[in-house]
Structure formats: C-alpha cells, structure tokens
Amino acid sequence: YYWQAHALELAERYEEAMEASDQAAKLVPRSISYRHRAGMDAQAAHEYARSIPHLEATLALDPEHDEARFGLGFAQQKLKQNDAAIDTYRTYLKRTPTNAQVWFNLGYALMGKGLHGEASDAFRETLRLRPSYEEAKKHLRRCESETSPKTR
C-alpha cells in the first residue's frame, strides 16, 4: 500500500493515494514513514482534518520530524485552528529557527488572530532569511499599518 500510494501520488491521483497510504498506516501504525506519507497524502487531497492524526502519530514516534511538524501546523492553519498552528510553528522554530516558510506561516497565523505586532516580527524574520519573499513584504506592510497610530 505504501508504494502504491507513492505511485498514485506521482500520478496526481491524490484521493486514491490517500486511501492507499491510510491502509499502509493502519497495517503498520508504528511506521514513521507510513504515518507521515498518510498525513501528507491526505493534505495533497485537501483532507486536512484527516492528515492531523497521522502527523501527530508521526511526531509521537519521532518528535524531531520537522516535515511532520510543518505539515501539522499547516493542517491546523487550514482548519482555522490558529492557536494550535501558532504553538506548532513555535515548537518547530525552537529546533529549526532558519526556516523562512515556517516564520511566514507563523506570521500569517498571528495576523489571523489580530496579533499584528507579533506577526510583524515573524514577517521581518521571514524577510531576514528570504529577502525577496514578496508575500511577506505585503503582509508586513499590512501588519505595520494595523499597529501604527491612526491619524485623522
């Protein structure tokens, strides 16, 4: 099922890949690679809620699995679970503070909660790591306009 899922994912048959990798994970639930693939295949099929248990299981088996932690934060964010996503991204960044995409996603989640000052800091860090990230520049300007004193 694992290799079938891989082939289906390469063929962009994401729903079928999700089903196959889910079967592999059910058959060997302690396999880090099977659980991670099941989580990522679910995300490829836009089934974010279905990806979370697999990614959490991956992290229970390997707490240092950065890809699973990023995927978990992304799924939480897609499901509007911003508090959980913020916690997940911050945990990720404690271990790997140089990932510009995680800083960006953290900023976006903070912005979604109206925490524009903290979001600005995250977008600044994104730009320090990846100066040409246009989307980060746009969101930083938006956050700064939200935190600057309004003039009449």
Side-chain angles (χ1 to χ4, degrees), residues 52-101:
I52 288 176
H54 290 298
L55 296 171
E56 287 175 337
T58 302
L59 289 166
L61 295 165
D62 179 5
E64 296 180 357
H65 199 295
D66 285 343
E67 288 180 42
R69 191 163 313 278
F70 177 80
L72 176 60
F74 185 76
Q76 292 164 331
Q77 199 164 4
K78 286 297 223 177
L79 294 169
K80 308 279 190 247
Q81 299 170 1
N82 283 332
D83 289 330
I86 289 166
D87 289 343
T88 299
Y89 291 140
R90 285 183 172 154
T91 299
Y92 181 108
L93 290 166
K94 285 179 190 170
R95 215 177 94 65
T96 311
T98 58
N99 188 314
Q101 188 62 51

Side-chain angles (χ1 to χ4, degrees), residues 35-144:
R35 294 306 292 254
H36 181 247
R37 171 158 290 286
M40 299 316 293
D41 284 345
Q43 284 194 14
H46 303 286
E47 293 286 343
Y48 301 105
R50 195 165 164 179
S51 76
I52 288 176
H54 290 298
L55 296 171
E56 287 175 337
T58 302
L59 289 166
L61 295 165
D62 179 5
E64 296 180 357
H65 199 295
D66 285 343
E67 288 180 42
R69 191 163 313 278
F70 177 80
L72 176 60
F74 185 76
Q76 292 164 331
Q77 199 164 4
K78 286 297 223 177
L79 294 169
K80 308 279 190 247
Q81 299 170 1
N82 283 332
D83 289 330
I86 289 166
D87 289 343
T88 299
Y89 291 140
R90 285 183 172 154
T91 299
Y92 181 108
L93 290 166
K94 285 179 190 170
R95 215 177 94 65
T96 311
T98 58
N99 188 314
Q101 188 62 51
V102 176
W103 279 106
F104 177 84
N105 287 20
L106 173 61
Y108 195 81
L110 289 163
M111 189 174 68
K113 290 196 45 83
L115 300 171
H116 295 99
E118 291 180 63
S120 292
D121 293 340
F123 291 130
R124 279 189 205 93
E125 186 61 17
T126 302
L127 291 167
R128 186 185 73 73
L129 296 166
R130 194 185 312 162
S132 62
Y133 201 148
E134 293 301 320
E135 194 76 8
K137 291 176 187 177
K138 178 181 96 173
H139 290 314
L140 176 59
R141 285 191 300 272
R142 179 176 169 207
C143 287
E144 287 176 339

